[in-house]
Amino acid sequence: MEVAILFGMVIALLAVGVPIAVALGLSSTLFLLVLSDSSLASVAQSLYQAMAGHYTLLAIPFFILASSFMSTGGVARRIIDFAIAIIGHVRGGLAIAGVLACMLFAALSGSSPATVVAVGSIVIAGMVKSGYTKDFAAGVICNAGTLGILIPPSIVMVVYASATDVSVGRMFLAGVIPGLLAGFMLMVTIYVIARVKNLPKGEWQGFEQVFSTILDASWGLFLMVVILGGIYGGVFTPTEAAAIASVYAFIVSIFIYRDMGPLKGRSWLPEAEADLGLLGLRVWGFTLVTFILYAIGCFMMGAPMWFAFAAAGTFFVVALVLAKLIAKAVPAGNGMQVATGAVLILGVLPMLYAVYSVLTSDVAILFVIVQVIGAVFILLLPPSVFVFSLVRGAQRLEVSGGGYAESLMVGGKNLLRANAENVIFAIPAVFHRDTKHTLLEAGKLTIMLMFIIANALILKHVLTDEQIPQHITEVMLAAGLGPITFLIIVNIILLIGGQFMEPSGLIVIVAPLVFPIAIQLGIDPIHLGIIMVVNMEIGMITPPVGLNLFVTSGVANMPMMRVVRAALPFLAVLFVFLIMVTYIPWLSTMLPTTFMGPEIITN
């Protein structure tokens, strides 16, 4: 009876428009004061110590800060250009590219609203200009933006891991296959609609444009490697990964992309020398990046630093020769042939050797697949990007009418100038108004989210003190409830709750209630976590409190109900996806179980 009163107070306060955090905290406080033996002092102590022991929540402010820098720093625009270059030439390609851009940005931000704002503010206008209806564009981005909390790293996954004491690393791995599957399902749906409605398609821009856009977006996309590679490589914990990601995002936005801060508007190459110096800049720049990467590797592995100098020197010699050959071949019309041969030697052959070694080894099929994919991304993609970026540089050099040696001089000179500017403006960049604004916005969002979580943890404290999870577990098990029926009930509760509550607060409340039952029924806790995250995805695009609906409405300048109608066709796809995730457990558990072992529950 007391529990019914507690949840009745929460619902009543929400119904009259009280903010979620206040409704949770006030209901819990009144319950503790009136219907329990707790004193006001214990209530204050509960609020003050709400975060105690939940150290993984420290990752949230850092992920939010990294997302803020990436959203402000023009990363989304470069990712969108890359997605359009890859898939924009097919029917409905711009919409599909929007989904791909959302997937990539989701892997950087961990937030659905941030993904919708960053990608939607560019893609929706572009789709309308290309002949799509605004409703279709808004529906695509509103739904694709929900992938922000499913594709790792995810703030909601961090909250679930904190609420249930499961591994954040396993949760991140578990989100990879479902995230890719959800994005693929949305893309297929868009393609079918595009074929039926004869939606516009773009022009194929060539491999030079594809690899050029990859190069432009690579600094932002490398954040995925920093976060996930660092965690699964055992270099740092998820919380440390979030902190490093925020610093990396600051450096990329301020000093490399220069889309904000004191260096905004200062290009790495002056406009008058942009064509002439691009090839030389890329030769010197790739050499510098090679040295930095090897130097970091030597430092982490305890190897002598001369190895980094030797690697960079070798790379520089290869780059000089290759750039010279391409610079000569482009005016003769043989640039692509030389580039293809270079990719074959530098990328394809090493990749084939690595793939052959993997296929002939005695390892599980999943490891084979992962290692083959890794060989493509590590051994083939970087040489391809490097070689075709030299082709683009050589084409620009031909336009300028300059020579190769002159390009090297101009590129090297501007690389030194730009890095000198980075050193000079390093301290001012920290105190620049753009940095302050980004920190302020990230702080506001962090405070709002943490206040919701803190008040939800008070409600969790009440439920634990009253032994509500244990009572519910006993009742459901006594009723002979099976795993299938239980998961149906969980989905219904989360789908209804997701319409009215912010995902993090809802998970903090519901997860401790259903977690013990799931364990008793033999349901994998990681599988349960992904089910909850997918339900939160759907909750973010269902009224009346679907956050993505409000964000899309603001970005697209459309009425809220019009956005709801636009999102409905794709919402049906997410419901099908929810059923698949719920009743095909290996979608969620295969990667974490294979690479990290099963989750061990100790309490």
Side-chain angles (χ1 to χ4, degrees), residues 411-444:
K413 175 192 70 175
N414 281 287
L415 183 68
L416 289 174
R417 172 196 52 84
N419 281 296
E421 289 176 345
N422 288 341
V423 173
I424 293 170
F425 287 99
I427 301 301
V430 176
F431 302 99
H432 193 269
R433 61 179 178 274
D434 289 348
T435 306
K436 292 179 179 178
H437 175 74
T438 303
L439 289 169
L440 178 62
E441 293 303 313
K444 287 179 181 178

Side-chain angles (χ1 to χ4, degrees), residues 142-485:
C142 184
N143 281 268
T146 62
L147 298 173
I149 63 173
L150 179 60
I151 295 177
S154 163
I155 292 173
V156 174
M157 288 183 186
V158 173
V159 174
Y160 173 81
S162 175
T164 58
D165 293 323
V166 300
S167 165
V168 177
R170 284 187 174 87
M171 283 299 301
F172 283 178
L173 262 185
V176 172
I177 293 178
L180 295 176
L181 177 62
F184 177 74
M185 291 174 66
L186 287 173
M187 289 179 183
V188 170
T189 304
I190 292 169
Y191 182 73
V192 171
I193 294 174
R195 298 294 295 184
V196 172
K197 294 187 175 182
N198 197 30
L199 294 178
K201 66 176 182 177
E203 297 292 331
W204 170 245
Q205 301 175 25
F207 284 106
E208 303 104 309
Q209 180 66 15
V210 171
F211 288 110
S212 179
T213 55
I214 291 177
L215 179 62
D216 289 340
S218 60
W219 287 102
L221 296 176
F222 191 70
L223 184 63
M224 291 185 285
V225 180
V226 172
I227 296 174
L228 301 180
I231 292 173
Y232 301 117
V235 180
F236 33 68
T237 66
T239 303
E240 293 166 345
I244 292 171
S246 63
V247 175
Y248 177 85
F250 168 75
I251 293 173
V252 168
S253 299
I254 298 287
F255 301 113
I256 296 177
Y257 286 153
R258 299 185 169 194
D259 290 320
M260 57 184 294
L263 295 172
K264 184 177 181 180
R266 293 173 179 255
S267 175
W268 284 75
L269 283 171
E271 186 175 351
E273 299 176 329
D275 290 333
L276 175 61
L278 181 61
L279 181 61
L281 179 67
R282 287 183 170 174
V283 170
W284 291 106
F286 272 103
T287 302
L288 178 60
V289 170
T290 300
F291 171 74
I292 292 173
L293 292 176
Y294 273 92
I296 293 173
C298 290
F299 174 77
M300 294 177 61
M301 299 175 64
M305 196 56 66
W306 65 261
F307 187 72
F309 285 98
T314 304
F315 179 88
F316 180 61
V317 172
V318 173
L320 276 178
V321 174
L322 184 58
K324 177 71 172 178
L325 292 174
I326 292 176
K328 284 186 175 181
V330 165
N334 300 321
M336 288 301 296
Q337 290 88 328
V338 173
T340 303
V343 170
L344 179 66
I345 296 171
L346 300 176
V348 175
L349 292 180
M351 182 201 69
L352 291 177
Y353 176 76
V355 170
Y356 174 78
S357 301
V358 171
L359 293 177
T360 55
S361 62
D362 187 20
V363 295
I365 184 63
L366 184 59
F367 281 98
V368 171
I369 295 172
V370 171
Q371 289 176 0
V372 168
I373 295 173
V376 172
F377 277 94
I378 295 173
L379 297 176
L380 178 60
L381 188 59
S384 301
V385 171
F386 169 62
V387 170
F388 283 102
S389 72
L390 293 183
V391 173
R392 178 54 61 91
Q395 291 169 344
R396 298 273 293 274
L397 178 61
E398 182 185 14
V399 172
S400 72
Y404 175 59
E406 189 180 2
S407 179
L408 284 176
M409 292 292 293
V410 172
K413 175 192 70 175
N414 281 287
L415 183 68
L416 289 174
R417 172 196 52 84
N419 281 296
E421 289 176 345
N422 288 341
V423 173
I424 293 170
F425 287 99
I427 301 301
V430 176
F431 302 99
H432 193 269
R433 61 179 178 274
D434 289 348
T435 306
K436 292 179 179 178
H437 175 74
T438 303
L439 289 169
L440 178 62
E441 293 303 313
K444 287 179 181 178
L445 184 57
T446 298
I447 291 171
M448 178 193 74
L449 191 58
M450 287 301 196
F451 188 57
I452 293 174
I453 293 174
N455 283 280
L457 286 170
I458 297 177
L459 181 57
K460 175 188 174 184
H461 170 72
V462 174
L463 297 174
T464 303
D465 277 358
E466 298 297 319
Q467 295 187 325
I468 304 303
Q470 291 84 346
H471 293 322
I472 294 176
T473 302
E474 292 172 0
V475 171
M476 287 194 169
L477 293 178
L481 198 67
I484 295 177
T485 310

Side-chain angles (χ1 to χ4, degrees), residues 25 28-29 32 39-55 57-58 450-451 453-459 461:
S28 303
T29 301
L32 288 171
S39 63
L40 190 60
S42 69
V43 176
Q45 186 179 16
S46 297
L47 179 60
Y48 184 75
Q49 295 182 343
M51 301 292 183
H54 298 278
Y55 300 112
L57 292 177
L58 287 171
M450 287 301 196
F451 188 57
I453 293 174
N455 283 280
L457 286 170
I458 297 177
L459 181 57
H461 170 72

